[in-house]
Amino acid sequence: MRTRSISIATALAVVLSSAALVAGTAGPAAADSAKILPVKSVGDMVVDGLHRLVYISDPTSGKIVITDYAGSVRATLTGMPGVTGLALSADSGQLYGAVKDGNRIVTVDTQTATPTLSYPLGAAAPSDLEVVDGRIWFSYGTNFGSLDISGAEPVVRLAQGSGSLLASDPAVPGVLAAGGNSGLAVYDVTADGATLRAEGSTDSGVKQIDLTPDGKQVLTSWGPNYSVGAYSSTDLAAQQGYPVGAYPNAVRVAPDGSVAGGSFSWYDPDVHIHRPGDPAPTREYDFPNTGDHSGADTLVDGALAWAPDASRVFAVSVNSHGTHTLRALTDPTKELPTLKVSAPAKSERAKKLTVTGRLTSKTAVPAGTALKVTRTDVESPNGKTLAAAKTKADGGFSFTDTPPAGGKVTYKVSYAGDTTHATASGSDAVDVSRKATALTLNNNGKLYAYGKDVTFTAHLGTTYKNRTVAIYTDPFGTDKPKKLLKTGKVNSRGNLTATVDMTRDTTVTAVFAGDARYASKTVKSTAYAKAKISTSVSKHYKTGRIGSTTYYYFRKNTDPLFTTTMNYYTGRKQRLQLQVYYQGSWYDSGSEYFALAANGKSAVSLDAPGESGIRARMRSSYVNGSSGDSVNSTTHGAWKYVTFTN
């Protein structure tokens, strides 16, 4: 703290300086999941149902990332430049990877996530992979070949047919589909090689193909009119496809024949699930926007894969920053019903009310389907199960209830789902009337000395069961938040008291939360506290009385020093007021604000007048709003009287 001087002649022209105080501190569906992947690209993705793992190749980084079904990374296999196509052995014991830039196929033990063998393919740079009857078929360029590792020595056969995209299905032995360069073909494959069965053409935008598990169709990711294309595996004649909208870029078929079609879409759904032969989607999934583009995240070309039990579809999305996310989309083959509940906006307590609603879906649920009904209110905060509601033929339902408790009463209706429908629920709330009760709080508007312990009394009137009141204190200022001071049951007279140390203006709040029959109520009382102010005088040579007033005596050339102490708040200043005595009256010579140091002190030196016979007085004040804050009520300190002698 530094001392500043002021002059009687200039009436406080120079102000006290003190150290400034720095203020101190006093979507996707619920069952779906998404995890960011540590990849720069996605070449292929396969799902291991036995070990519940997902294998994703990253050709840009030359690695295979292995995650669990939730997307958590379990292992990363590196040193595979350009690795693209992936395939699993029939027993899920081996993972095969096409290392394009290394002209080889590698095997990985799925139990230990350890690379085991590497099979060179000569000049062939493999890209896509399929396993048919134990043999590995791989595309390279616009052709495909095979790798047979069943014997003592691996056997590589090149130039078996045309196609950069391959597809097969474990349920269809001896069949391989191949596509690319606007062409599509079906081959019968054996240990002796591939024999062309049918040949046709497709759109040039095809990114992926697949074979249905009944062996009757080859599906392409891009077909007529922005659809998943469907072609007869017998002669590749075009058949009814699966519309997906936007720009189709992926297709995968589940073991039960369900079709997952993908599309590159910023503003529309990205994954579309169809039942076999049904052009209308059963489910659609729309990715969120996790980047800074106006459009949402998009599906990576060909980045779709089914869990073998069809419980999930896995998809990889990418945002505008190039961040890849593995998304596990649950219950994809089940329709997503909508359940709407409508209850009256208001009702009287203990009076019967009617709740209605409707359960709708693409395929209607059977009439008489039971729906769980739960009522939640102040007496049953965890919910009380009521009699089940049953659907009508059109999915509508209704039920009646007599709410025993007032306040917000919520009725939740839940559908458990079935083999073709996912679960669904809906709710609506009723404002049920309650009686009003009396709640008062004393001391509103009263002013107290700094630091006085003040008792606040909350008085609660008639209620049903709840006799608890909470009392909160909220001191003025930003550094002390509102906090619970006391909570408890009122006494036999309906009172609950709490003591507040009045160091600041304070708002006290009493809260009755309500009960089943009486409404909640909140009351406030704002009481005010003076600032704590004291001023000491130094450098005088004596004290004495002039009349009935005590004066500090100073030599005419000695500067009086006034040190003020005040309860501190960030940025607070004291106002120092000077008056001079002349011909029997006190005259105001001005006032000035002086910042307080962090310890609440400020010192002001009054320049000596250089002549005797002068009398003056000074006082320090806190002025609400003008002293830098508004946390105390305006308070004036005591006058300090000085006189100057020879």
Coordinates of all heavy atoms in Angstrom, one line a residue, residues 349 406-407 432-438 462-464 512 514-521:
R349 N -57.0 -32.9 -9.2 CA -56.5 -34.0 -8.4 C -57.7 -34.9 -8.0 O -58.8 -34.4 -7.7 CB -55.7 -33.6 -7.2 CG -55.0 -34.7 -6.5 CD -54.5 -34.2 -5.2 NE -55.6 -34.0 -4.2 CZ -56.2 -35.0 -3.5 NH1 -55.8 -36.2 -3.7 NH2 -57.2 -34.7 -2.7
G406 N -51.1 -34.2 -6.9 CA -51.1 -33.1 -7.8 C -49.7 -32.7 -8.3 O -48.8 -33.4 -8.0
G407 N -49.6 -31.6 -9.0 CA -48.4 -31.2 -9.6 C -48.2 -31.8 -11.0 O -49.2 -32.1 -11.7
V432 N -51.7 -31.3 -12.7 CA -52.8 -31.6 -11.8 C -52.8 -30.6 -10.7 O -51.8 -30.3 -10.1 CB -52.6 -33.0 -11.3 CG1 -53.8 -33.4 -10.3 CG2 -52.6 -34.0 -12.4
S433 N -54.0 -30.1 -10.5 CA -54.2 -29.0 -9.5 C -53.8 -29.4 -8.1 O -54.0 -30.5 -7.7 CB -55.6 -28.5 -9.6 OG -56.5 -29.5 -9.1
R434 N -53.3 -28.4 -7.3 CA -53.0 -28.6 -5.9 C -53.4 -27.3 -5.2 O -53.5 -26.2 -5.8 CB -51.5 -28.9 -5.7 CG -51.1 -30.2 -6.1 CD -49.6 -30.4 -5.8 NE -48.7 -29.6 -6.6 CZ -47.4 -29.7 -6.5 NH1 -46.8 -30.5 -5.6 NH2 -46.6 -29.0 -7.3
K435 N -53.7 -27.4 -3.9 CA -54.0 -26.3 -3.1 C -52.8 -25.4 -2.9 O -51.7 -25.9 -2.9 CB -54.6 -26.7 -1.8 CG -55.9 -27.5 -1.9 CD -56.4 -27.9 -0.5 CE -57.7 -28.7 -0.5 NZ -58.1 -29.1 0.8
A436 N -53.1 -24.1 -2.6 CA -52.0 -23.2 -2.2 C -51.8 -23.2 -0.7 O -52.7 -23.4 0.0 CB -52.3 -21.8 -2.7
T437 N -50.6 -23.0 -0.3 CA -50.3 -22.9 1.1 C -49.6 -21.6 1.4 O -49.0 -21.0 0.4 CB -49.4 -24.1 1.6 OG1 -49.3 -24.1 3.0 CG2 -48.0 -24.0 1.0
A438 N -49.5 -21.2 2.6 CA -48.8 -20.0 3.0 C -47.4 -20.3 3.3 O -47.1 -21.3 4.0 CB -49.5 -19.4 4.2
T462 N -50.5 -24.7 6.2 CA -51.1 -26.1 6.1 C -50.6 -26.8 4.9 O -50.5 -26.2 3.8 CB -52.6 -26.0 6.1 OG1 -53.1 -25.3 7.3 CG2 -53.2 -27.4 6.0
T463 N -50.2 -28.1 5.0 CA -49.8 -28.9 3.9 C -50.3 -30.3 4.1 O -51.0 -30.6 5.1 CB -48.2 -29.0 3.8 OG1 -47.7 -29.6 5.0 CG2 -47.6 -27.6 3.6
Y464 N -50.0 -31.2 3.2 CA -50.5 -32.6 3.3 C -49.5 -33.5 4.1 O -49.8 -33.9 5.2 CB -50.8 -33.1 1.9 CG -51.2 -34.6 1.8 CD1 -52.2 -35.1 2.6 CD2 -50.6 -35.5 0.9 CE1 -52.6 -36.4 2.6 CE2 -50.9 -36.8 0.8 CZ -52.0 -37.3 1.6 OH -52.3 -38.6 1.6
F512 N -40.6 -24.3 -0.4 CA -41.4 -25.4 -0.1 C -41.6 -26.2 -1.4 O -42.2 -25.7 -2.3 CB -42.7 -25.0 0.6 CG -43.7 -26.2 0.7 CD1 -43.5 -27.3 1.5 CD2 -44.9 -26.1 0.0 CE1 -44.4 -28.3 1.6 CE2 -45.9 -27.1 0.1 CZ -45.6 -28.3 0.9
G514 N -43.5 -28.6 -2.2 CA -44.8 -29.1 -2.5 C -45.0 -30.5 -2.1 O -44.0 -31.2 -1.7
D515 N -46.2 -31.0 -2.1 CA -46.5 -32.4 -1.9 C -47.7 -32.8 -2.8 O -48.0 -32.1 -3.7 CB -46.7 -32.7 -0.4 CG -47.9 -31.9 0.2 OD1 -48.8 -31.5 -0.5 OD2 -47.9 -31.7 1.4
A516 N -48.3 -33.9 -2.5 CA -49.3 -34.5 -3.4 C -50.5 -33.6 -3.4 O -51.3 -33.6 -4.4 CB -49.7 -35.9 -2.9
R517 N -50.8 -32.8 -2.4 CA -52.0 -32.0 -2.4 C -51.8 -30.5 -2.3 O -52.7 -29.7 -2.6 CB -52.9 -32.4 -1.3 CG -53.3 -33.9 -1.4 CD -54.2 -34.3 -0.3 NE -54.5 -35.8 -0.4 CZ -55.3 -36.4 0.5 NH1 -55.9 -35.8 1.5 NH2 -55.5 -37.7 0.3
Y518 N -50.6 -30.0 -2.0 CA -50.3 -28.6 -1.9 C -49.2 -28.2 -2.8 O -48.2 -28.9 -2.9 CB -50.0 -28.2 -0.5 CG -51.2 -28.2 0.4 CD1 -51.7 -29.4 1.0 CD2 -51.9 -27.0 0.7 CE1 -52.8 -29.4 1.8 CE2 -53.0 -27.0 1.5 CZ -53.5 -28.2 2.1 OH -54.6 -28.1 2.9
A519 N -49.4 -27.1 -3.5 CA -48.4 -26.7 -4.5 C -47.1 -26.2 -3.9 O -47.1 -25.7 -2.7 CB -49.0 -25.6 -5.4
S520 N -46.1 -26.2 -4.7 CA -44.8 -25.6 -4.2 C -44.9 -24.1 -4.1 O -45.8 -23.5 -4.7 CB -43.7 -26.0 -5.2 OG -44.0 -25.4 -6.5
K521 N -44.0 -23.6 -3.3 CA -44.0 -22.1 -3.1 C -42.6 -21.6 -2.7 O -41.9 -22.3 -2.0 CB -45.0 -21.7 -2.0 CG -45.2 -20.2 -2.0 CD -46.5 -19.8 -1.2 CE -46.7 -18.3 -1.3 NZ -47.9 -17.9 -0.6

